[in-house]
Amino acid sequence: MDGRDLVRSMKAFGSAGATQGLRTVRAAWRRRRADAAGLPPRGAERARVPGPVREVEPGPGGGVVRFARSELRVLVAVNGAVFWGWDGAGPEPSYALAGRCPEPDPRAVLEPDKDGGWRVVAERATVAVSRHGAVEVRTPGGVVLRRELPPRWWEPAGGGPARWTQRSEVAADARFFGLGGRAAGPRLRQGTYRLWNTSPGPASASGEDRSSVTMPVQLVVADAGTHLVFHDSSWDGTVALREGEEGSGSGHDRPGRSVLRMDGGPLRCWMTVGTPARVLLTWASLTGAPALPPAWALGHHHVWSGPGDEQEVRRVVAGHQERDLPLDAVHLDIGHLDAHRVFTVDEERFPKLPVLAEELRRDGIRLVSVVGPAVPAVPGDAVYDSGTSEGVFVRDASGPVVRGVASAGDVVFPDFTHARARAWWGGLYEERLGRGFAGFWHDLDEPTSFAAFGESTLPRSARHSLEGRAGDHREAHNVYALCMARAGYEGLRSLVPGERPFVLSRSGWAGMQRYGGTWSGEVATGWPGLRASLSAVLGLGLCGVPYAGPDVGASPSPELYLRWLQLASHLPLFRTRGGSRAAGGEPWELGAEVVEHARVALVERRRLLPYFLTLAHLARRTGAPYVRPVWWSTPEERALRDCEDAFLLGDRLLVAPVLDPGVDRRAVRLPRGRWYDVVTERAYEGPARVLADAPPARIPVFARAGAVVPVRGEDGGTELEVWAPARGRTGGGLVVPDAGDGWVEPEIERYVSRWEGRRVVVERECEDGVREPSCPVRVRGLEERSAQT
């Protein structure tokens, strides 16, 4: 280890934590020593490129193109997705795919192209391969969406995994999005982004865009169309992006560029094209439908992270109830565990945890437990002894179990890339369920620890099963949390088959939506952190992870707390944090005015719960995120591509959060069509840039004219809030009634709103005609009060 690591140790622990600091230094030294022994130096390397084409072998959906020094397999699947893999790489095995690779499209065939190249023509795209290995994906009209230049490999002369680089070009007007949950977004400008899951921590405030959920997934929007590209390698790497420039006058366009550098793994890629909705639908068909959360998980969550006991938790809950602050779930942090041991409760401070859980459940509040992967290496500990007996812990290259360091001391880690380890771990949740917990959030699952400074607490040379293929932590690191989420999700499905599991992960990878959602971890504090929270949620949604959100309450000012709360109340996961002054305290500790305004946001979130449930069902069926960029329906509108301070909630509401201090009015860019301010009911005609009031009590929210939005009525039942369509136009909306839990697939109800004379009529469309709505209807926006734009 170097001097920088030592300085970080001292800063993190100081004199009071000298013992833990020395443990950390020793653990870092052990990791370095293990890697030095288990990962021999690369030494001399040989560079390689594909070379000229030699022969082709047509096959179902495409075929194989053989070059002088490599071969390329091209496949167009029946769902329209395009795959290509170099050096014999196929779509499987893959942690991203939900199951087997989709069947090839029998209509797609490999045929000669111009200049000695070859192409595969499909319904939605044409894949062209040049005679030197460049891969172009074109629209049916022949416009190039993406051009991947011939790749380059660097192979160790003594053998071992090859590094590789893939350079790509996109249209000059294209904009980049995705790469997981990025603070620097949602539009990703020029910069280099690392593809290695790390704890965000305080480093995200220093300009380093670290993320606990990174994925080599880019969503690219251009005039010619939208495409998603996924380079399926879980190794460490970087993506360097540079937006293009359009020439003026007689000047030439400069294309946008992406340079992907990976330390290893197969060079293989999936690409989907079409509208944003079509792209995400195809992506979900590849990587799996998002898990459907139980209804309570779409309400208000509160993390209790204090050092108290059961009575302290009851006090916090009572504080919410006495002030009429809706609360649906309480998350218990590591403070409720015995010496931070996993699946072990501190019986002195929480002697009757099942009783507490039952009391809360009667009030409609669920209890959620934190779960980390680190198992204290203490003989006699039930989890440690059981895991040792099963042989499920990660080992180093020479055989012994790897030991890391955490707040509990020396720890070991299960190898979640082994099916046996996942089955063993999933069974351990029975203890948590017996204590009354209804959901689980996985923390420090990169894996890291409070002492690892964002880096993995496992050495890169640590050995993993990787589903029987065998490999090391360089390949397993980014998918470790994904596999842990799978273990928890599948364990809960087995233990409580009638309930929808709630699993929240801090880290993850492509396909993690199959097992639950994520939160942004410890993002930067202050106003930059507020903006970063929105960026991360939007970016994750465009990568196929729709259920996400930040934590609210990291020691902010009252103004920042309210603005963060107002934003978060319109995001899929709505979670606040309290329990101690270090965590930001409870809202009533910030003053009566803060409580009053916080109540407005919390009550509105509860009112919108039926709408969030509908969005959850639609996300499961279509892959469409709850939170969408304002260009979602009209990506051809360039002005909307650059809008990063507002978002669509579904396709019926537009939310414009306040992201800067001292703001009581803000500019909002509206897409085309008529939009209503949901408070004043004033109508605005888009596309336009309007000024909207943003007093401390609320942020601007707009409803699309004609929208049919399911909301919670005063009696607790569902009613339809309908916004009057523009004269001569119709509107509508989808409603998915939900029982709150269970696996019954409810029917999607389709509603149409229209003018009939002087009144607005709302009808439900059915296969046998139209019917009356199944719940009460309230029409808004009837008064013709338009605002100047």
Side-chain angles (χ1 to χ4, degrees), residues 379-397:
D381 177 84
V383 177
Y384 176 74
D385 290 347
S386 172
T388 301
S389 175
E390 292 284 340
V392 298
F393 296 127
V394 175
R395 297 178 178 273
D396 66 22

Side-chain angles (χ1 to χ4, degrees), residues 57-63 73-77 103-110 120:
E57 180 184 329
R73 179 184 177 188
V74 179
L75 168 72
V76 177
E103 293 295 317
D105 185 347
R107 300 167 297 174
V109 296
L110 191 63
V120 180

Side-chain angles (χ1 to χ4, degrees), residues 22 83 139 245 352 376 393 424 449 499 514 539 606 688 751 754 788:
L22 289 174
F83 171 84
T139 67
E245 291 182 2
K352 298 180 179 179
F393 296 127
W424 165 77
S449 69
E499 297 181 8
R514 300 191 296 264
R606 176 157 289 185
Y751 290 92
R754 58 184 176 83
Q788 297 295 323

Side-chain angles (χ1 to χ4, degrees), residues 32 53 139 398 562 645 659 719:
R32 294 284 184 99
V53 66
T139 67
S398 58
L562 280 175
D645 60 357
L659 304 176
E719 67 178 31

Side-chain angles (χ1 to χ4, degrees), residues 105-165:
D105 185 347
R107 300 167 297 174
V109 296
L110 191 63
E111 62 186 30
D113 196 15
K114 60 184 179 180
D115 300 326
W118 293 80
R119 68 181 182 182
V120 180
V121 180
E123 180 181 0
R124 297 178 196 158
T126 296
V127 186
V129 181
S130 78
R131 59 193 178 96
H132 288 289
V135 179
E136 285 186 354
V137 178
R138 308 168 184 158
T139 67
V143 179
V144 176
L145 291 174
R146 190 179 190 93
R147 185 170 191 263
E148 303 247 318
L149 302 176
R152 183 181 294 267
W153 295 266
W154 285 267
E155 300 168 327
R163 298 184 296 117
W164 53 265
T165 295

Side-chain angles (χ1 to χ4, degrees), residues 263-574:
D263 287 349
L267 204 175
R268 56 185 180 177
C269 180
W270 283 97
M271 184 165 161
T272 68
V273 301
T275 64
R278 169 63 68 180
V279 163
L280 267 295
L281 175 63
T282 307
W283 179 237
S285 73
L286 287 172
T287 60
L292 185 66
W296 61 264
L298 291 167
H300 171 217
H301 301 238
H302 188 70
V303 180
W304 179 83
S305 54
D309 53 16
E310 288 181 8
Q311 295 309 313
E312 183 68 14
V313 175
R314 288 189 174 91
R315 183 192 68 80
V316 171
V317 172
H320 283 80
Q321 294 172 332
E322 292 166 2
R323 295 166 178 84
D324 295 323
L325 301 176
L327 182 63
D328 298 278
V330 173
H331 294 222
L332 298 188
D333 210 338
I334 59 173
H336 83 284
L337 300 174
D338 181 16
H340 297 177
R341 294 183 182 181
V342 66
F343 300 114
T344 307
V345 171
D346 185 331
E347 298 288 355
E348 290 187 5
R349 295 188 298 118
F350 290 85
K352 298 180 179 179
L353 196 52
V355 175
L356 172 63
E358 181 58 31
E359 290 176 3
L360 296 181
R361 187 180 286 264
R362 285 198 295 266
D363 289 334
I365 302 171
R366 266 58 172 197
L367 209 57
V368 176
S369 171
V370 67
V371 175
V375 176
V378 179
D381 177 84
V383 177
Y384 176 74
D385 290 347
S386 172
T388 301
S389 175
E390 292 284 340
V392 298
F393 296 127
V394 175
R395 297 178 178 273
D396 66 22
S398 58
V401 171
V402 175
R403 293 202 173 198
V405 64
S407 51
D410 282 355
V411 291
V412 293
F413 291 85
D415 180 9
F416 293 117
T417 69
H418 196 299
R420 185 174 73 248
R422 290 195 297 269
W424 165 77
W425 186 264
L428 297 177
Y429 288 76
E430 186 173 14
E431 184 274 341
R432 300 279 88 186
L433 294 171
R435 299 279 187 173
F437 289 106
F440 305 91
W441 57 292
H442 295 172
D443 201 0
L444 302 174
D445 52 347
E446 285 84 5
T448 187
S449 69
F450 291 116
F453 313 111
E455 289 298 324
S456 172
T457 195
L458 289 172
R460 295 188 175 221
S461 58
R463 305 299 295 173
H464 290 266
S465 168
L466 293 169
E467 316 310 323
R469 292 181 290 111
D472 58 43
H473 197 64
R474 293 174 296 177
E475 182 178 359
H477 174 82
N478 280 341
V479 298
Y480 187 88
L482 171 74
C483 295
M484 180 181 176
R486 178 181 177 183
Y489 183 87
E490 292 179 346
L492 293 170
R493 284 295 309 264
S494 176
L495 292 167
V496 195
E499 297 181 8
R500 305 199 289 253
F502 175 74
V503 177
L504 193 65
S505 301
R506 186 169 88 169
S507 185
W509 202 63
M512 64 178 296
Q513 74 277 357
R514 300 191 296 264
Y515 313 118
T518 182
W519 91 102
S520 56
E522 294 80 11
V523 299
T525 57
W527 294 92
L530 173 61
R531 190 175 292 269
S533 297
L534 175 57
S535 298
V537 174
L538 280 166
L540 286 164
L542 295 177
C543 291
V545 185
Y547 185 71
D551 277 354
V552 180
S555 302
S557 67
E559 181 190 12
L560 177 57
Y561 176 85
L562 280 175
R563 294 311 192 189
W564 214 315
L565 186 78
Q566 290 160 353
L567 165 64
S569 68
H570 290 90
L571 299 179
L573 171 65
F574 180 25

Side-chain angles (χ1 to χ4, degrees), residues 95 113 214 254 289 366 499 503 511 520 558 682 702 767:
Y95 280 106
D113 196 15
T214 68
R254 187 187 74 176
R366 266 58 172 197
E499 297 181 8
V503 177
S520 56
R682 290 180 178 174
F702 298 85
E767 292 182 359

